[in-house]
Amino acid sequence: MLSVVRVHLPSEIPIVGCEITPYVLLRRPDGAVSTDDVPETAPTDGQFMRYRWYRIQSDRKVPICSVHPMEQATIQCLGCLKSKIPVTKSYHCSAKCFSDAWQHHKVLHERASSALNENGAEEEELFGRFGCGGSGVLSTAGSGSLSNFGQSPSVSNGPVPLYPSGTDKNSGETWFEVGRSRTYTPSADDIGHALKFECVAVDSEKRSPVGPPTSIMTSRVIPAPTPTPRRLIQVNGDVLGHLDLDSQTSSLGTFTVLSYNILADAYATSDAYSYCPTWALSWAYRRQNLLREIIGYHADIICLQEVQLNHFEDFFAPELDKHGYQALYKKRTTEVYSGNPMAIDGCATFFRRDKFSHVKKYEVEFNKAAQSLTDAIIPAAQKRVALSRLIKDNIALIAVLEAKFGNHGAENPGKRQLLCVANTHINVHQDLKDVKLWEVHTLLKGLEKIAVSADIPMLVCGDFNSTPGSSPHGLLAVGKVDQLHPDLAIDPLGILRPPSKLNHQLPLVSTYSSFARMVGVGYDLEHQRRRMDPATNEPLFTNCTRDFTGTVDYIFYTADSLTVESLLELLDEESLRKDTALPSPEWSSDHIALLAEFRCKPRIRR
């Protein structure tokens, strides 16, 4: 007889838009135990599995905390309501919750207040002053900024949307069938309600259950957390301003480029990121959150790192195709990797078909370059040791694109506007500084050959696993490595000698250094300057975990052929620390996305 041995959910917390696939262990009539489904179209010994999903609605309703969606809200920020901020963001489960989130929360107020009144109203008048006393109770002043649901619900601000609280049989429970397949994707209608999954073996002829059904309950469905949108800040022009990404369309002759290490699912483990809730680490959740974020940037070119092969083929390529993107992909090589071949990660580059056409693709495999290097300079007896140090499966994907937009200059009518985009992920090991530098140098020498043959603008994007001040960063940004740089002391294979060869002729500049070079004053400029390191002219961080915070991701461009028009604003570390670090329910990678808008410079006749 077909029977269910065990059922469990990958996460008890269902999220709107994230598919739930329960783990169902079956015992087949022959006694074998398997997780393979037995559908009605392919029964076993006259039996098949039937699945049902139910939504359980209760008459009792409670508000849900915007920071901790599994907690009931007890207070509401009236300033949010006055500023027309979505009401769901105004709920907090405790005074401490509100106080801890205040640095992040007040950004919503500042932006909303600015939008409502150009001259700006006093924040205290609208929102009150917030402080946390020794008792941990939030004190307020001014016009009164919080409503306590337990004591004085705010009814003067209109109806408050409340969610059902649970499945108490005495509270007027109603069950709705919402699905008849093994998987289910919660919708907005499910928010605040618990779900029930039920499975049972069914006789094919009698169409009746064989034995009792097995069921499992979820917690309440929560909406997907939505981070405060990041804006595009203008950096080229007399007036500092910002552009709305939602309505952003590149102006004539400009284009936008996104670079983002999305954190491969294979690395997103609870051991590595124990501070992130399990449901927020699940790929079912992260893939939807990442896609929503990436699509929201409306970039013309997208360079992603740590994209697993199966996720590229099954998710990112088809989903981004729907939004008008053509895809290129290069997976890491597998001399070192020993896991599932489909789960190996790589670099993916996407470009808008209406803005660019694909001209040529180059694939850089550093393992092949390592083999050639050892054949050329390493004695035969030392080759095995040399290769074990150099071979790390890292790669780079280089795409030559042709622009379809705009007039490329009256002095060159009809001339093709080509663009070379490199997307790479450099070796992560901190004790292999020689390998990092060698990989970056190898990539740059390859790009030099392309530049000589084509004389086209270049972008070098990726996760270089190298902080500002390191030798790889210096090579990229300055064009050479200081021969006294301490990184050069680590060179057991002699691959960096002579140091004078560690150079390149590409006029590369780090895109985000434009923030540091800006002149003038203003709210946006001042906020971005605080998020830059004045010693390096780079962001304070692009990677933020509990154990490491620093900059390792960059977009470099050739300054003789491109200018930076706008940059995606940087994030504030303090606002991220409310969830300990990245990844978090709001941001689904341990890196932040970088995005820049460029303009092609007119080519000067020679």
Side-chain angles (χ1 to χ4, degrees):
M1 184 177 75
L2 184 64
S3 61
V4 178
V5 177
R6 188 158 66 98
V7 174
H8 77 82
L9 299 166
S11 171
E12 291 184 355
I13 305 173
I15 303 99
V16 171
C18 297
E19 183 181 82
I20 310 172
T21 304
Y23 174 90
V24 181
L25 188 64
L26 301 176
R27 177 170 283 110
R28 296 174 176 269
D30 62 1
V33 175
S34 171
T35 57
D36 293 338
D37 194 13
V38 181
E40 185 175 1
T41 54
T44 296
D45 283 4
Q47 296 173 357
F48 65 90
M49 290 302 301
R50 187 181 72 189
Y51 305 102
R52 294 287 188 271
W53 285 91
Y54 301 94
R55 179 171 68 232
I56 305 168
Q57 295 190 189
S58 170
D59 292 340
R60 276 181 55 218
K61 298 180 179 180
V62 295
I64 303 301
C65 176
S66 62
V67 178
H68 306 100
M70 289 308 298
E71 300 296 329
Q72 177 178 337
T74 60
I75 56 176
Q76 183 178 28
C77 175
L78 301 186
C80 288
L81 302 182
K82 293 178 181 179
S83 299
K84 311 299 184 186
I85 292 169
V87 69
T88 55
K89 289 186 177 290
S90 68
Y91 299 142
H92 293 270
C93 57
S94 67
K96 184 178 186 306
C97 165
F98 186 82
S99 178
D100 290 347
W102 172 240
Q103 290 301 317
H104 170 73
H105 190 78
K106 74 174 181 178
V107 173
L108 299 177
H109 290 181
E110 289 168 349
R111 291 184 177 176
S113 177
S114 175
L116 283 173
N117 184 353
E118 269 191 21
N119 297 323
E122 286 294 326
E123 184 180 47
E124 182 179 334
E125 178 186 337
L126 279 177
F127 312 118
R129 291 190 298 267
F130 301 86
C132 192
S135 65
V137 177
L138 206 62
S139 61
T140 65
S143 63
S145 50
L146 294 180
S147 168
N148 186 309
F149 285 122
Q151 297 175 9
S152 54
S154 172
V155 295
S156 61
N157 291 283
V160 177
L162 303 176
Y163 302 145
S165 63
T167 60
D168 184 355
K169 294 290 185 183
N170 298 320
S171 66
E173 216 173 68
T174 307
W175 290 47
F176 295 92
E177 183 179 306
V178 293
R180 291 195 169 195
S181 63
R182 185 165 174 174
T183 61
Y184 179 68
T185 303
S187 68
D189 292 336
D190 298 320
I191 293 176
H193 306 297
L195 300 174
K196 180 179 179 179
F197 172 68
E198 184 178 275
C199 58
V200 66
V202 173
D203 185 286
S204 299
E205 291 186 4
K206 297 179 181 178
R207 316 297 293 179
S208 58
V210 179
T214 301
S215 62
I216 190 168
M217 296 274 292
T218 72
S219 298
R220 286 190 301 248
V221 175
I222 64 173
T226 53
T228 303
R230 296 171 64 188
R231 297 172 299 166
L232 204 56
I233 307 294
Q234 184 179 329
V235 297
N236 187 16
D238 296 330
V239 180
L240 179 72
H242 65 82
L243 306 171
D244 183 359
L245 277 168
D246 288 336
S247 60
Q248 164 72 7
T249 54
S250 295
S251 58
L252 189 65
T254 69
F255 60 93
T256 52
V257 178
L258 172 74
S259 184
Y260 196 6
N261 180 330
I262 63 170
L263 179 60
D265 183 45
Y267 310 140
T269 64
S270 293
D271 287 341
Y273 306 103
S274 58
Y275 50 84
C276 185
T278 304
W279 60 266
L281 269 183
S282 71
W283 181 242
Y285 172 73
R286 290 203 308 118
R287 70 174 188 173
Q288 294 295 341
N289 207 32
L290 288 166
L291 181 66
R292 182 167 49 247
E293 180 188 358
I294 291 166
I295 293 300
Y297 292 133
H298 303 284
D300 298 313
I301 300 170
I302 300 171
C303 295
L304 303 182
Q305 302 88 45
E306 287 196 21
V307 182
Q308 289 184 192
L309 175 59
N310 54 338
H311 296 159
F312 172 78
E313 293 179 346
D314 300 339
F315 183 69
F316 285 109
E319 288 297 327
L320 286 168
D321 177 70
K322 297 174 186 176
H323 292 270
Y325 289 94
Q326 185 171 331
L328 301 172
Y329 183 76
K330 173 60 180 172
K331 71 175 181 178
R332 294 172 61 198
T333 42
T334 55
E335 281 85 348
V336 177
Y337 183 77
S338 59
N340 179 356
M342 293 301 293
I344 193 168
D345 65 284
C347 295
T349 299
F350 303 87
F351 57 90
R352 286 190 181 277
R353 286 187 290 265
D354 61 342
K355 296 292 290 288
F356 293 96
S357 58
H358 179 224
V359 176
K360 196 164 186 178
K361 171 185 174 183
Y362 300 90
E363 296 181 349
V364 180
E365 295 185 357
F366 294 116
N367 283 2
K368 286 185 178 179
Q371 186 67 59
S372 299
L373 178 68
T374 54
D375 288 345
I377 71 168
I378 304 295
Q382 299 175 20
K383 279 187 180 180
R384 178 174 293 181
V385 173
L387 288 174
S388 68
R389 185 174 183 86
L390 288 172
I391 288 183
K392 301 300 174 191
D393 291 346
N394 299 106
I395 54 90
L397 172 61
I398 303 171
V400 177
L401 308 175
E402 180 178 356
K404 296 180 179 180
F405 52 83
N407 185 339
H408 307 309
E411 69 278 8
N412 290 312
K415 182 176 175 61
R416 300 171 74 193
Q417 176 63 67
L418 299 178
L419 179 70
C420 181
V421 183
N423 180 8
T424 191
H425 192 180
I426 297 300
N427 174 45
V428 67
H429 299 287
Q430 296 307 309
D431 56 346
L432 299 179
K433 291 180 170 38
D434 54 326
V435 179
K436 287 180 189 288
L437 180 55
W438 171 76
E439 287 184 354
V440 171
H441 185 246
T442 300
L443 172 61
L444 291 170
K445 284 303 178 182
L447 291 173
E448 265 191 334
K449 294 178 181 177
I450 297 173
V452 168
S453 63
D455 186 27
I456 57 177
M458 289 201 166
L459 293 162
V460 188
C461 309
D463 177 358
F464 292 84
N465 277 305
S466 303
T467 56
S470 65
S471 57
H473 180 267
L475 179 60
L476 284 156
V478 184
K480 62 182 180 180
V481 179
D482 185 335
Q483 297 190 25
L484 298 178
H485 197 289
D487 283 0
L488 299 183
I490 302 174
D491 186 20
L493 303 177
I495 59 175
L496 306 178
R497 294 194 285 268
S500 58
K501 76 175 184 179
L502 298 172
N503 59 67
H504 66 89
Q505 301 303 313
L506 300 172
L508 294 178
V509 174
S510 178
T511 301
Y512 270 78
S513 65
S514 298
F515 272 147
R517 295 195 301 271
M518 290 171 62
V519 295
V521 295
Y523 173 83
D524 290 320
L525 176 56
E526 186 58 33
H527 272 245
Q528 296 314 305
R529 280 179 175 158
R530 290 180 197 162
R531 297 165 190 177
M532 298 288 292
D533 183 345
T536 65
N537 286 348
E538 293 286 7
L540 289 172
F541 69 91
T542 63
N543 180 211
C544 180
T545 67
R546 184 168 52 194
D547 303 319
F548 173 81
T549 299
T551 294
V552 294
D553 306 273
Y554 308 92
I555 301 176
F556 288 93
Y557 68 101
T558 46
D560 64 339
S561 54
L562 296 169
T563 58
V564 181
E565 296 287 305
S566 310
L567 292 171
L568 186 66
E569 66 178 334
L570 296 167
L571 294 177
D572 176 57
E573 182 180 352
E574 191 174 4
S575 71
L576 301 181
R577 292 298 181 190
K578 69 183 176 64
D579 293 309
T580 302
L582 299 177
S584 68
E586 290 185 344
W587 305 100
S588 287
S589 174
D590 56 345
H591 294 249
I592 65 170
L594 302 179
L595 182 143
E597 180 187 29
F598 294 96
R599 183 182 297 277
C600 296
K601 287 183 177 179
R603 306 300 287 177
I604 300 174
R605 288 183 179 177
R606 292 175 180 170

